[in-house]
Amino acid sequence: MILHELLSYDVLRVIWWLLLGILLVGFAVTDGFDLGAAALLRATGKTDVERRVVINTIGPVWEGNQVWLILGGGAIFAAWPQLYAISFSGFYLAMFAVLVCLILRPVAFKFRSKREGTAWRNGWDWVLTLSGWGAALVFGVAMGNVLLGVPFRLAPDMRIYWDGSFFDLFTPFALLCGLVSLTMLLMHGAAWLVFKTEGTVQARATRWGMVAAVLTTLLYVIAGVWLAKLSGFVLTEAMSTTGPSNPMLKSAAVGQGAWLANYAKQPALWIVPALGVLMPLLAALGMKLRREWLGLLSSGLAIAGIVLSVGVSMFPFILPSSVNPQFSLMVWDASSSHLTLFIMLVSTVIFLPIILAYTSWVYHIMRGKVRVEAISEGKGHAY
């Protein structure tokens, strides 16, 4: 109870905002490389054996990577119930498209090598490739729409109304964000393949990874310049950071370039987007020089910088409303109760280290290169 009293409501809200960012980065970095590697399957593997090499680099670990998606969804549901309700209902068709991609992947992993037929295996290879591309694009488009503002409104009794349609999500800026997400994950997947393979597959992954890395930096810079010219969201009056979770109690407005205001107040925050600009180039250099750890680590840091820069730009907003800025959800007015946040934090402190320890152990056991010879001889590879 003493700790509960020391961690005030506003502190717990910020802690959970930070934890949500960490969980999103964890998902993007871990599941990102297997989505990216799958998307590059047909580009890096030209023969059946080479494609099995690619699949076996991600086959043993992709299921564990999904834990971060579950943790992120659970955190949103418990810590930010209004965010969960609005985003999961408004983005329903987009999330359904992502789920189709994520559901088809395990089927492809399991069924691809069950038959020897070329058409059979090529079909499942296309499923893996297209599911990687599709999920990466939709994740980025969703993030772009969050920055633009989402077309929802709240009734006086807090009922949620969505005024947009599925096709309204595909605006030029949102599509640009989708391309940033795609090239980012292609870069990360290529860095993983460079790290886990050798020979011809590694050489092809290097070429694709370098192109994707340069495109990631270029597209991210273009998106940043575009964002600076877009209208963001700002508070027009000071609000209580410990008040009730009721978005109707604040006063907010739209202002051009508002998403860069936090960087003007705290210039040290420019370190975050700087990672998104510089780390892809370092990843490209690492892949070119065969510094495999450097390439993989740099691509992971690039993803962290790109994802976290969205949160830093928007803080304290977490889901703006393009219908009426007053309806926007913020760190201070859309969370669960003080007690709920505290109980969840205690649970996280207990279980997150266990998840990290187990994940580290799995990657340690699965360490080493996947080689063509081992695949051809059927030595310990299931895919």
Side-chain angles (χ1 to χ4, degrees):
M1 291 302 295
I2 296 176
L3 184 59
H4 175 250
E5 294 174 359
L6 289 175
L7 291 174
S8 60
Y9 200 9
D10 55 339
V11 171
L12 281 172
R13 281 168 161 168
V14 173
I15 289 174
W16 272 102
W17 175 79
L18 292 171
L19 284 174
L20 180 59
I22 292 171
L23 293 174
L24 291 176
V25 169
F27 171 68
V29 171
T30 57
D31 209 41
F33 74 70
D34 63 58
L35 283 171
L40 290 171
L41 175 61
R42 297 187 63 85
T44 54
K46 299 302 183 181
T47 66
D48 180 67
V49 173
E50 289 176 348
R51 290 175 186 170
R52 287 186 63 198
V53 168
V54 174
I55 293 171
N56 275 277
T57 66
I58 57 179
V61 297
W62 74 268
E63 287 178 292
N65 294 339
Q66 303 294 314
V67 169
W68 295 98
L69 177 62
I70 296 169
L71 288 175
I76 294 174
F77 174 77
W80 312 99
Q82 289 177 310
L83 173 62
Y84 181 91
I86 294 172
S87 59
F88 277 65
S89 58
F91 291 129
Y92 180 81
L93 290 178
M95 290 189 175
F96 181 78
V98 170
L99 286 175
V100 168
C101 294
L102 297 182
I103 290 169
L104 287 176
R105 284 204 311 157
V107 179
F109 280 130
K110 300 298 183 183
F111 284 4
R112 182 199 180 272
S113 295
K114 297 299 183 183
R115 290 178 59 184
E116 296 290 340
T118 301
W120 172 269
R121 293 190 174 185
N122 282 340
W124 289 118
D125 289 343
W126 274 113
V127 169
L128 285 170
T129 300
L130 295 177
S131 63
W133 282 67
L137 277 169
V138 174
F139 283 136
V141 168
M143 193 66 72
N145 276 278
V146 170
L147 287 166
L148 291 171
V150 181
F152 74 91
R153 54 190 172 89
L154 301 174
D157 60 359
M158 300 303 291
R159 281 187 296 174
I160 301 165
Y161 294 91
W162 187 271
D163 292 341
S165 68
F166 173 72
F167 294 102
D168 291 337
L169 301 176
F170 297 94
T171 61
F173 179 76
L175 289 173
L176 174 60
C177 291
L179 291 177
V180 172
S181 174
L182 175 61
T183 57
M184 175 181 76
L185 296 190
L186 289 175
M187 168 192 67
H188 198 42
W192 174 255
L193 291 177
V194 171
F195 182 74
K196 291 288 291 183
T197 65
E198 57 186 16
T200 305
V201 174
Q202 187 185 58
R204 294 190 189 116
T206 299
R207 291 194 295 269
W208 279 95
M210 291 175 62
V211 172
V214 172
L215 285 176
T216 297
T217 291
L218 178 62
L219 293 173
Y220 181 59
V221 170
I222 294 173
V225 173
W226 195 337
L227 185 67
K229 300 181 181 300
L230 289 176
S231 296
F233 293 75
V234 293
L235 282 172
T236 55
E237 295 180 3
M239 63 177 296
S240 172
T241 59
T242 58
S245 290
N246 185 345
M248 307 293 285
L249 300 180
K250 67 173 175 293
S251 178
V254 174
Q256 185 173 357
W259 286 149
L260 299 185
N262 287 335
Y263 299 104
K265 295 175 183 176
Q266 299 289 339
L269 293 175
W270 282 108
I271 294 173
V272 178
L275 291 174
V277 174
L278 299 176
M279 286 298 108
L281 301 179
L282 188 58
L285 181 62
M287 286 185 274
K288 179 178 177 59
L289 299 178
R290 291 294 193 274
R291 298 294 188 266
E292 298 165 2
W293 268 108
L294 177 63
L296 186 59
L297 179 62
S298 298
S299 66
L301 289 173
I303 290 175
I306 292 171
V307 173
L308 292 177
S309 66
V310 176
V312 170
S313 298
M314 293 176 57
F315 184 84
F317 290 85
I318 53 176
L319 190 66
S321 169
S322 58
V323 176
N324 186 338
Q326 183 181 355
F327 300 144
S328 301
L329 305 185
M330 301 180 63
V331 172
W332 315 122
D333 64 10
S335 71
S336 295
S337 68
H338 187 188
L339 181 59
T340 300
L341 295 181
F342 175 75
I343 294 173
M344 286 178 54
L345 181 61
V346 172
S347 301
T348 301
V349 170
I350 294 172
F351 291 107
L352 187 58
I354 297 174
I355 294 172
L356 291 173
Y358 172 76
T359 302
S360 300
W361 177 78
V362 168
Y363 278 96
H364 176 72
I365 294 298
M366 300 295 177
R367 69 190 183 278
K369 299 278 189 179
V370 178
R371 294 179 169 85
V372 170
E373 296 79 10
I375 294 293
S376 300
E377 297 170 7
K379 294 182 178 178
H381 294 284
Y383 298 94

